[in-house]
Amino acid sequence: MSLAECYASLARMLDYPAGKDEMLADHGNAGRFLRESEIESPLEPFGRFVENATLAGLQEEYVATFDFNPSVALYLGHHLFGDHQKKGAYLIRLKGEFRRHGFTPSGGELPDHLPLVLGFLAYLARNAEDGVRRSFLSECVLPGVDKLSAAFSARGDSPWKPVVETARLLCAADSARPEEGKPC
């Protein structure tokens, strides 16, 4: 498994659940990559949760976690700027980075939606744009993921907490490598 596949697996695990088998496969793939890369993986509780839940139960818990609780919403701009006008500039920066690198998001999510951002990181990794990816991580992603992870820590238990923490750990490890390229 590659870094790109790990980012893509985490993106799918943080998106609205479409199927248990796919989620379990993504869980296993991400866990293997993290172990091979010697990155701490807190994913095990999420795998048990998916195994023991129905698809309807996963979907219900997802909505209860992310749609009805703004403190852990998956929108990085919300965690960085709240409702301040700086959030608009941040969204424009993200869209500009997507466009500059030829990434066309599918669906109608805002550009700061974490699964979409992880999909962009997977795209950059597949295209070997390492310096750009690391700069983007440091400047545009990690600060928001850190705040989202902290919000989950304050909230207590949530089945998706280990996935968010894993995304934070992977982003931090990936951005810690020597940087090249232009920051976001």
Side-chain angles (χ1 to χ4, degrees):
M1 171 170 238
S2 68
L3 176 64
E5 291 166 333
C6 189
Y7 275 127
S9 288
L10 288 171
R12 288 187 296 268
M13 283 189 279
L14 286 168
D15 220 344
Y16 185 77
K20 281 182 59 162
D21 292 341
E22 295 86 356
M23 290 180 82
L24 288 171
D26 284 327
H27 172 267
N29 289 337
R32 271 190 299 284
F33 177 82
L34 294 166
R35 279 190 301 280
E36 290 168 5
S37 301
E38 297 181 0
I39 298 171
E40 177 185 346
S41 175
L43 278 176
E44 191 55 40
F46 182 74
R48 285 193 305 272
F49 166 69
V50 173
E51 284 176 354
N52 295 321
T54 64
L55 179 57
L58 290 169
Q59 292 168 338
E60 186 177 307
E61 183 64 34
Y62 183 91
V63 169
T65 299
F66 296 116
D67 294 348
F68 295 133
N69 191 346
S71 69
V72 293
L74 291 173
Y75 297 95
L76 300 180
H78 168 76
H79 296 286
L80 291 170
F81 305 108
D83 287 330
H84 193 275
Q85 66 188 24
K86 288 182 179 180
K87 182 167 71 174
Y90 174 72
L91 296 175
I92 291 168
R93 281 174 52 182
L94 295 180
K95 285 180 80 170
E97 286 298 308
F98 295 170
R99 191 173 30 258
R100 185 177 3 267
H101 298 285
F103 178 72
T104 305
S106 60
E109 284 294 346
L110 292 171
D112 65 336
H113 191 243
L114 183 56
L116 180 61
V117 170
L118 292 170
F120 179 59
L121 293 170
Y123 175 84
L124 292 174
R126 272 192 299 279
N127 291 321
E129 295 191 50
D130 297 339
V132 171
R133 187 185 68 252
R134 290 182 187 122
S135 293
F136 181 77
L137 277 163
S138 297
E139 298 293 322
C140 298
V141 179
L142 210 47
V145 173
D146 284 342
K147 287 187 175 201
L148 174 59
S149 184
F152 262 104
S153 294
R155 186 172 182 262
D157 284 341
S158 167
W160 271 271
K161 180 179 178 180
V163 185
V164 169
E165 179 60 13
T166 299
R168 186 189 71 75
L169 292 168
L170 180 62
C171 289
D174 191 16
S175 71
R177 296 179 184 143
E179 290 188 35
E180 304 164 11
K182 183 179 171 188
C184 178

